[in-house]
Amino acid sequence: MPLTRRLAIAHRADKNPDDREAAEARFKEIAEAFNILSDPEKRQIYDRFGMAGLEAGSGSGGGGDSGGTGFATVDPHELFAQFFQGFGQGGAFGARFMGGNPFGDFVHPRSFPNSRGGAGARNHFGRVLPRVVKIELVCSLEELFTGTTKRMKVRRRNLSSESESSRPSSTVLEIHIKPGWKANTRITFRGAGDEVAPGEFQDVMFVLTEKKHERFTREGSNLWTRHKVSLKEALTGFHFEFKHLDGSNVSVDVDHVVRPGSRKVIAGRGMPSSKRPNQCGDLVVEFEVDFPERLDDNQKQALRATL
């Protein structure tokens, strides 16, 4: 019986009634290990970046899928349902897990699509390695507004002695994020990955994703934010301030009647343009009017007399 299967059975919660919480936690750890080891691309990322590389690709806090290989939280029981396919002649998980061997990719290598076309090279273990390894790079809206530099330590394998002597087994890649970059921007480091055949090296591609912001939403080069005002403020005018993405103060004065959903556009205070220096989009403030739940008779009379 494979070691991972024995560990899974041993740490099932129903097998450890006296310490179900610890058993469940250990079961989840085994499931995560299986999730990485059973996926060649995730295993490649883990070998070079460790868990930090996988977790960076999970896009915590948002952001859409841009083709990265991030590590997402999974149901450990679903993973082991896949794992026990082919072993299910009754036993701990029952006959419902009949099927193929989930470790087939390690025995019968598959081809990976890549930007150069065709399959990757086969390494000395007989597996097919991708020519391009994609890593999801999560950036906050503040980082995309001001620009920043991110550093990722890469561990890579060398096949030939010549490569061993001239090419370090680890390196630090610096990704210079320019102000105004958008989600799905791709930064490729040619030949920075594993040696997949003598003298041929994987490319490492970082795919940028945008983390959800609590105040601002980006639409192209424009920034949107919402501000709630009372009915009194909506009718008589108001002033408010808030912090921009770079920490600067934004001051807004409104001296006219504000309807629900109306907007105020602050020109040139949106996202910078990565292609046109010194040009920025607009900052759009959308107003939400907070109506009172009830008015007493005196308030109603005062409104009738005024409006």
Side-chain angles (χ1 to χ4, degrees), residues 202-214:
Q202 287 177 324
D203 294 341
V204 177
M205 176 188 292
F206 293 94
V207 183
L208 191 150
T209 61
E210 179 185 301
K211 185 178 180 180
K212 185 177 180 180
H213 197 274
E214 60 181 7

Side-chain angles (χ1 to χ4, degrees), residues 32-68:
E32 289 182 358
F34 167 72
N35 186 28
I36 296 169
L37 294 175
S38 62
D39 187 307
E41 280 201 77
K42 287 181 181 178
R43 185 167 182 170
Q44 287 289 313
I45 294 170
Y46 179 80
D47 287 343
R48 287 193 305 280
F49 297 95
M51 285 300 296
L54 291 169
E55 290 170 353
S58 67
S60 59
D65 181 10
S66 58

Side-chain angles (χ1 to χ4, degrees), residues 7-259:
L7 288 172
I9 295 173
H11 290 90
R12 286 173 56 202
D14 59 345
K15 294 287 186 180
N16 297 269
D18 297 331
D19 197 358
R20 296 178 65 89
E21 185 174 341
E24 183 69 18
R26 181 58 176 158
F27 186 83
K28 289 180 180 178
E29 291 177 358
I30 299 167
E32 289 182 358
F34 167 72
N35 186 28
I36 296 169
L37 294 175
S38 62
D39 187 307
E41 280 201 77
K42 287 181 181 178
R43 185 167 182 170
Q44 287 289 313
I45 294 170
Y46 179 80
D47 287 343
R48 287 193 305 280
F49 297 95
M51 285 300 296
L54 291 169
E55 290 170 353
S58 67
S60 59
D65 181 10
S66 58
T69 319
F71 180 78
T73 302
V74 293
D75 184 346
H77 300 282
E78 288 295 327
L79 279 177
F80 279 100
Q82 301 172 32
F83 173 74
F84 281 93
Q85 289 175 358
F87 299 110
Q89 305 290 340
F93 285 80
R96 59 188 279 256
F97 298 124
M98 292 286 287
N101 181 0
F103 292 105
D105 287 342
F106 290 89
V107 181
H108 304 289
R110 65 185 179 185
S111 296
F112 292 83
N114 59 80
S115 60
R116 299 178 185 174
R122 193 181 300 270
N123 73 357
H124 58 284
F125 291 111
R127 284 189 318 208
V128 176
L129 301 179
R131 290 289 189 182
V132 179
V133 177
K134 295 181 181 179
I135 309 294
E136 195 171 19
L137 184 66
V138 181
C139 293
S140 67
L141 203 51
E142 287 86 353
E143 291 172 328
L144 298 177
F145 185 85
T146 61
T148 189
T149 298
K150 290 181 175 286
R151 295 174 177 84
M152 294 290 288
K153 186 175 182 180
V154 178
R155 297 191 299 269
R156 63 259 185 111
R157 297 189 183 92
N158 293 312
L159 299 180
S160 63
S161 57
E162 182 179 348
S163 297
E164 285 283 358
S165 61
S166 61
R167 186 171 177 267
S169 59
S170 67
T171 187
V172 176
L173 301 179
E174 287 195 352
I175 304 107
H176 300 286
I177 309 297
K178 295 181 180 180
W181 269 6
K182 299 178 181 180
N184 207 40
T185 298
R186 301 181 178 216
I187 310 98
T188 302
F189 293 84
R190 302 292 182 188
D194 286 348
E195 186 174 18
V196 295
E200 296 183 25
F201 308 96
Q202 287 177 324
D203 294 341
V204 177
M205 176 188 292
F206 293 94
V207 183
L208 191 150
T209 61
E210 179 185 301
K211 185 178 180 180
K212 185 177 180 180
H213 197 274
E214 60 181 7
R215 172 181 282 277
F216 297 102
T217 302
R218 180 179 185 176
E219 291 187 8
S221 294
N222 294 334
L223 285 173
W224 287 66
T225 186
R226 296 175 65 88
H227 182 72
K228 181 182 288 189
V229 297
S230 67
L231 180 59
K232 177 182 176 181
E233 290 174 321
L235 295 174
T236 62
F238 53 93
H239 168 85
F240 70 100
E241 298 180 353
F242 59 91
K243 293 293 183 183
H244 208 321
L245 293 170
D246 60 355
S248 64
N249 197 53
V250 179
S251 179
V252 179
D253 288 292
V254 177
D255 58 3
H256 58 270
V257 174
V258 169
R259 296 180 175 85

